[in-house]
Amino acid sequence: MLTNWAGNHAFAATRLETPRSLEELQSLIAAEPRVRALGSRHSFTDLADTEGVLVSLAALPVTVEVDAAARSAAVSAGALYGDVAVALHEQGWALGTMASLPHISVAGAIATGTHGSGDGQGSLAAAVNAVELVGADGELRRWARGEPDFDGVVVSVGALGVVTRVWLDVEPAYEMAVDCLVDLPWAALSDDLDAVTSAATSVSLFTDWLAPTIGQVWLKSRVGTSARPLPGARPAASVLHMLPGGDIAAVTQQGGVPGPWFERLPHFRMSHTPSRGEELQSEYFVPRSRAVEAVDAVRRMGPALAGLLQVSEIRTIAGDDLWLSGAQGRDTVGLHFTWVRDEPAVRAVLGPLEEVLTPLGGRPHWGKVFVTDHAALSEAYPRLGDFARLRDRLDPTRMFGNAFLDRVLGESLR
């Protein structure tokens, strides 16, 4: 039985195909009535499922081709970010940001609006300058930044076709260092959010929402810059894992030791199993201007989350123009929740959590667990209707449709 990474969803597809060439992929799509692309299975719902055939790009050749003049790299969409990062670094190039896990597929992470952290860093999708996909007729199409519909195609939740290649913005390779602090007073965040989140190139805050201080602050700085101290916090005395009892061998090197960008930007090492696996995740994107209110509201809910929550992470993402991006139209703060794997109990607490975050502009992450309905999603994502109409044009027969898309796009838009 094929399940997602967390083990909370068993796929209902009739079979899994792994084409070994673009031509084989095109022929398969042209011959099947229902198809859905399967990435690294790090979504926590039925987002990637289908009544028909699942298609994995894992057997397609991994290619990373840099155009130095354009500062762009053509990347095979089925590749894992960690593998792409190594290939880029070997050629002297780098990405500006990475997610906490290097084990996720390029296409899947982009399609769901996944991100890293940094006041000046957009989501992974914001680095896309062109995208290529196989549509419902089996034909290959390409959109480039600035062209009509590009902003709708990039974060597509798999609804428009099977992405085969993306072109990513790149820059010369650089080094970074990770410093960790503990026990940052909550007042530091509420008094001056900007000072906290700009203390390094990338800042992550970890909390259980119950403790009187923010338990951990991970500061990732490019070599040549220095992480700023934060009032009231103190340097960690040893290597930290954000999950209590977590294996510290799995996390990236800390202690201010410089290293290649791709070994410092993610929280976890590519060579180790990420996080715990037996978990669920949720995340909500709130406007930066409402972030302190959102944090205060979740802190008041702390007791209701106890027993279900393993850890939460607070991160920042720069705004972009991509229609289904959590950061579309605004600089954003992400509130991430890693839960125990008890789906009924988690879904029960998500309702009250969304009741406080939705009025503050909260948008759920497409690849994680949420209960927001179509009406609320249409308010949270103002370009959702435009995306549904784009889907009507590109996939009128709903070849790439599934139950997840029926819920989030709404019956009226089918």
Side-chain angles (χ1 to χ4, degrees):
M1 179 175 65
L2 183 66
T3 70
N4 62 348
W5 172 72
N8 69 303
H9 177 77
F11 289 94
T14 57
R15 69 184 192 275
L16 172 66
E17 295 283 351
T18 55
R20 296 184 177 276
S21 70
L22 177 59
E23 293 74 21
E24 187 179 342
L25 171 65
Q26 290 177 282
S27 297
L28 188 153
I29 290 175
E32 295 292 337
R34 298 279 271 189
V35 176
R36 195 82 173 142
L38 182 68
S40 48
R41 296 183 286 142
H42 274 79
S43 291
F44 292 82
T45 67
D46 57 344
L47 181 149
D49 212 346
T50 178
E51 302 166 355
V53 178
L54 282 173
V55 176
S56 168
L57 304 185
L60 292 179
V62 173
T63 58
V64 180
E65 302 170 353
V66 176
D67 180 338
R71 290 201 169 201
S72 177
V75 173
S76 49
L80 303 184
Y81 260 99
D83 294 331
V84 170
V86 170
L88 281 173
H89 189 74
E90 289 174 346
Q91 299 176 64
W93 293 91
L95 300 171
T97 187
M98 290 182 68
S100 59
L101 298 178
H103 312 73
I104 55 179
S105 69
V106 170
I110 289 168
T112 53
T114 299
H115 62 97
S117 177
D119 287 359
Q121 301 297 332
S123 70
L124 301 179
V128 175
N129 63 71
V131 60
E132 175 184 86
L133 61 79
V134 178
D137 55 3
E139 293 298 314
L140 196 64
R141 293 177 175 82
R142 184 180 187 273
W143 290 262
R145 185 181 285 150
E147 293 180 352
D149 299 329
F150 172 83
D151 289 339
V153 170
V154 178
V155 183
S156 66
V157 290
L160 308 179
V162 177
V163 175
T164 54
R165 191 161 49 157
V166 295
W167 284 256
L168 303 176
D169 297 334
V170 295
E171 60 184 279
Y174 53 90
E175 289 197 330
M176 299 192 77
V178 182
D179 295 281
C180 293
L181 308 177
V182 296
D183 294 332
L184 177 69
W186 283 104
L189 194 66
S190 57
D191 291 347
D192 196 342
L193 172 71
D194 292 349
V196 173
T197 63
S198 66
T201 307
S202 170
V203 177
S204 291
L205 312 173
F206 295 98
T207 180
D208 64 3
W209 302 107
L210 289 171
T213 59
I214 299 170
Q216 299 181 25
V217 183
W218 291 26
L219 304 171
K220 302 178 181 181
S221 306
R222 294 197 183 203
V223 170
T225 66
S226 298
R228 294 200 306 272
L230 294 174
R234 53 189 172 82
S238 59
V239 175
L240 301 177
H241 194 296
M242 70 287 294
L243 293 174
D247 182 4
I248 60 172
V251 300
T252 192
Q253 186 163 359
Q254 301 169 11
V257 179
W261 59 278
F262 66 94
E263 292 181 354
R264 298 295 183 270
L265 277 173
H267 295 338
F268 297 97
R269 300 174 190 260
M270 185 70 177
S271 57
H272 286 71
T273 300
S275 199
R276 283 186 174 154
E278 292 190 0
E279 64 188 46
L280 298 176
Q281 294 180 13
S282 301
E283 186 170 22
Y284 298 91
F285 303 107
V286 298
R288 189 181 180 98
S289 60
R290 309 296 300 273
V292 171
E293 294 173 78
V295 166
D296 289 344
V298 179
R299 286 190 69 197
R300 289 192 291 270
M301 287 192 64
L305 309 182
L308 291 176
L309 183 69
Q310 296 190 56
V311 73
S312 268
E313 181 178 7
I314 304 170
R315 290 178 286 179
T316 59
I317 314 104
D320 59 51
D321 296 320
L322 307 176
W323 293 358
L324 295 192
S325 167
Q328 187 272 329
R330 67 198 194 189
D331 290 337
T332 295
V333 173
L335 306 179
H336 186 277
F337 302 82
T338 297
W339 311 101
V340 300
R341 201 179 68 183
D342 183 343
E343 192 156 358
V346 168
R347 287 186 174 274
V349 80
L350 288 181
L353 183 61
E354 291 179 5
E355 286 179 7
V356 301
L357 293 179
T358 299
L360 298 175
R363 299 169 175 169
H365 187 301
W366 299 112
K368 304 183 188 296
V369 183
F370 61 89
V371 297
T372 317
D373 62 18
H374 166 66
L377 287 169
S378 296
E379 291 291 326
Y381 285 92
R383 303 302 298 270
L384 189 65
D386 293 329
F387 179 81
R389 286 181 283 275
L390 176 62
R391 180 200 187 202
D392 286 340
R393 286 194 281 116
L394 297 182
D395 185 21
T397 65
R398 301 298 186 260
M399 170 181 281
F400 304 108
N402 65 1
F404 175 89
L405 291 174
D406 288 347
R407 293 195 304 273
V408 302
L409 294 182
E411 293 292 333
S412 63
L413 297 176
R414 294 182 62 190

